[in-house]
Amino acid sequence: AQRVTQPEKLLSVFKGAPVELKCNYSYSGSPELFWYVQYSRQRLQLLLRHISRESIKGFTADLNKGETSFHLKKPFAQEEDSAMYYCALSQAGANSKLTFGKGITLSVRP
Amino acid sequence: DTGVSQDPRHKITKRGQNVTFRCDPISEHNRLYWYRQTLGQGPEFLTYFQNEAQLEKSRLLSDRFSAERPKGSFSTLEIQRTEQGDSAMYLCASSLGVREQFFGPGTRLTVL
């Protein structure tokens, strides 16, 4: 069975502080990992996927297969980063069903 | 094309009634997905289509649930004999093959 664990429900930081949103997964095959974000009153949208190896809005995430983790990081948080963040996985190359974690609320205070 | 659309955005119904939701994907997208999200949880996969073929269904999709995509364009999700446990946000997403899934705004169902 595939599972995504986001151990924290809420992370509150001050503007300019570093952010790390944790994500661990279990999957028997070769996974593809994603971070989705949902800003207030907006729909769920893709933030980044591990195969693209991009930095989006200053966020990066590295897939660590040894630790089965895909933590999302940003060195300096901005108020506009406040949102709900979901980690998700699917079968590599298939992008069929996404399995999501429970999500974490990031609150960036001024 | 303004993205994936869903109708209605909100539905309140009484237990035992049938409800139907519609999803219109981005026009060139051949894959369409349904997810359900309850309070405090991430979206949970229900089913997905490639063109008009339903390729996978979750065990969450009981016999009371049925989804169709008759012409490979829009899709409908019907819930028969609704129960209070069906109250949730129903999300639709679409993609072009294995590319990014784009989500709709969701239909919030409340079963009284």
Side-chain angles (χ1 to χ4, degrees), chain A residues 24-36:
Chain A
N24 289 88
Y25 67 90
S26 63
Y27 187 68
S28 56
S30 181
E32 183 169 359
L33 275 293
F34 307 81
W35 277 98
Y36 277 80

Side-chain angles (χ1 to χ4, degrees), chain A residues 22-25 33 62-71:
Chain A
K22 291 184 166 52
C23 173
N24 289 88
Y25 67 90
L33 275 293
D62 291 318
L63 180 61
N64 186 323
K65 291 186 177 180
E67 295 183 357
T68 60
S69 68
F70 188 57
H71 303 326

Side-chain angles (χ1 to χ4, degrees), chain A residues 35-37 39 45-49 56-57 59 72 85:
Chain A
W35 277 98
Y36 277 80
V37 61
Y39 300 103
Q45 59 186 283
L46 180 65
L47 180 62
L48 53 81
R49 59 199 298 181
I56 305 293
K57 300 184 179 182
F59 285 98
L72 184 68
Y85 291 80

Side-chain angles (χ1 to χ4, degrees), chain A residues 12-20 74-82 106-110:
Chain A
S12 184
V13 301
F14 286 107
K15 177 182 171 180
V19 166
E20 182 178 46
K74 184 169 182 176
F76 307 104
Q78 303 299 314
E79 289 179 66
E80 56 265 30
D81 296 328
S82 296
L106 174 63
S107 173
V108 182
R109 293 170 285 171

Side-chain angles (χ1 to χ4, degrees), chain A residues 9 32 36 38 43-46 49 86 93-103, chain B residues 4 31 33 35 37 40-43 45 48 56 95 97-101 103-105:
Chain A
K9 290 187 176 181
E32 183 169 359
Y36 277 80
Q38 188 165 26
R43 60 186 68 188
L44 198 60
Q45 59 186 283
L46 180 65
R49 59 199 298 181
Y86 295 94
N95 193 24
S96 52
K97 62 181 181 184
L98 288 168
T99 298
F100 286 87
K102 292 186 178 183
Chain B
V4 179
R31 290 192 177 188
Y33 312 80
Y35 294 85
Q37 185 173 23
Q41 303 294 317
F45 171 80
Y48 93 98
E56 187 172 350
S95 72
V98 298
R99 296 182 183 178
E100 175 185 349
Q101 292 186 28
F103 282 80

